[in-house]
Amino acid sequence: MKKRKITHIQIAEAFTAAFKKAFPIMAGFLFLGLGYGIYMTGCGFSPWWPVCMAAAVYAGSVEFIVVSLLLSTFNPLYAFLLTLLVNGRHIFYGISILNKYQGTGWKKLFLVSGMSDEAFSLNYMTEPQKGILKDWYMLWITFLLYLSWVGGATLGGFAGAIGISGIKGIEFVMPALFIVIFISQWQKESSHTSSITGWVAAIACLLIFGKTYFLLPALLLVFIVFSVQWLVNKQNKNKL
């Protein structure tokens, strides 16, 4: 089979199409990354820490969680299980998107390692216009989102080092970000069962296990509750 010849113009067209599609999410990543960088330097870390964390870990909420793990007595097993549980959904993302990534060649390595929730959604749910190179389009989507997150964390890290981190209450950046996200989700929900379950599980585990180790059991509890609920709903549907 004859190998296709790709021109710089085609690559540029794929970049333009990807940029237009990814731009709204890029803006969100930049803002969140900025908050993350400021938050981490506000906790006493060098500005290079959020840069390296964003570039190497690139795991969204896990990067925020890691800050508290680094500030407490480090427990490698707990950190591993917590990360696996929080980001375990990517296992199913990977299985779902296997067909999309076929034939991407050397690009597959970055498409896999750089996949986030948003990159998965854009690459899985959207198709580029006719004539746009699909593999390059997906690569640019993934790269632009990655660049936005790392860029935001870099700006936040060095802005925090310059003096922003000295502002009183800057450590509330992370809780504030998640509160805003929670309120946004709450307003979109038709039923608040999931949100209330998460709150109850988190508060209960906080009281039982303390603030250092409550997150993992809370996530496990939520997983068990939702699994049981799913099984009950499935059995009820089968009876109908």
Side-chain angles (χ1 to χ4, degrees):
M1 186 176 178
K2 194 173 181 180
K3 191 176 180 180
R4 62 175 179 168
K5 187 176 181 180
I6 299 172
T7 65
H8 293 298
I9 294 175
Q10 289 175 304
I11 296 174
E13 288 174 344
F15 174 84
T16 302
F19 184 83
K20 289 179 180 177
K21 183 63 68 173
F23 181 76
I25 300 175
M26 288 171 61
F29 269 29
L30 190 67
F31 173 75
L32 287 171
L34 184 69
Y36 170 67
I38 294 172
Y39 168 68
M40 198 165 192
T41 52
C43 290
F45 290 93
S46 160
W48 289 107
W49 272 86
V51 178
C52 294
M53 288 287 293
V57 179
Y58 190 53
S61 55
V62 170
E63 292 180 49
F64 284 96
I65 295 170
V66 166
V67 178
S68 61
L69 292 178
L70 291 172
L71 290 172
S72 60
T73 303
F74 186 59
N75 186 330
L77 180 60
Y78 179 81
F80 170 76
L81 292 174
L82 183 61
T83 304
L84 182 64
L85 192 59
V86 172
N87 275 34
R89 63 191 182 282
H90 284 265
I91 296 172
F92 304 99
Y93 288 172
I95 294 171
S96 302
I97 209 166
L98 275 176
N99 291 333
K100 282 265 188 176
Y101 286 173
Q102 282 184 353
T104 54
W106 59 269
K107 305 174 193 68
K108 185 182 289 186
L109 178 63
F110 186 73
L111 287 170
V112 171
S113 60
M115 186 174 66
S116 61
D117 296 354
E118 293 77 10
F120 169 80
S121 298
L122 291 178
N123 286 335
Y124 186 80
M125 300 298 293
T126 63
E127 289 288 341
Q129 295 178 350
K130 190 176 180 181
I132 300 295
L133 298 174
K134 187 176 178 180
D135 53 344
W136 278 98
Y137 172 81
M138 293 192 297
L139 179 69
W140 285 128
I141 287 281
T142 307
F143 174 75
L144 287 169
L145 296 183
Y146 174 79
L147 185 65
S148 300
W149 176 254
V150 176
T154 302
L155 289 173
F158 284 94
I162 290 170
I164 293 179
S165 60
I167 299 174
K168 189 176 181 180
I170 196 69
E171 65 276 2
F172 191 65
V173 166
M174 184 183 75
L177 288 174
F178 282 100
I179 289 171
V180 171
I181 293 171
F182 176 81
I183 293 172
S184 177
Q185 285 297 116
W186 180 278
Q187 292 173 339
K188 293 177 183 177
E189 292 173 347
S190 56
S191 171
H192 300 307
T193 304
S194 300
S195 298
I196 294 172
T197 301
W199 271 104
V200 172
I203 293 171
C205 291
L206 179 63
L207 294 173
I208 296 171
F209 299 100
K211 65 178 183 179
T212 304
Y213 296 110
F214 85 95
L215 190 54
L216 182 57
L219 290 171
L220 286 170
L221 182 58
V222 169
F223 174 76
I224 293 169
V225 171
F226 287 161
S227 298
V228 171
Q229 185 181 13
W230 178 79
L231 288 171
V232 171
N233 291 337
K234 186 178 180 181
Q235 289 178 351
N236 292 335
K237 286 181 180 179
N238 291 334
K239 291 178 181 179
L240 296 176

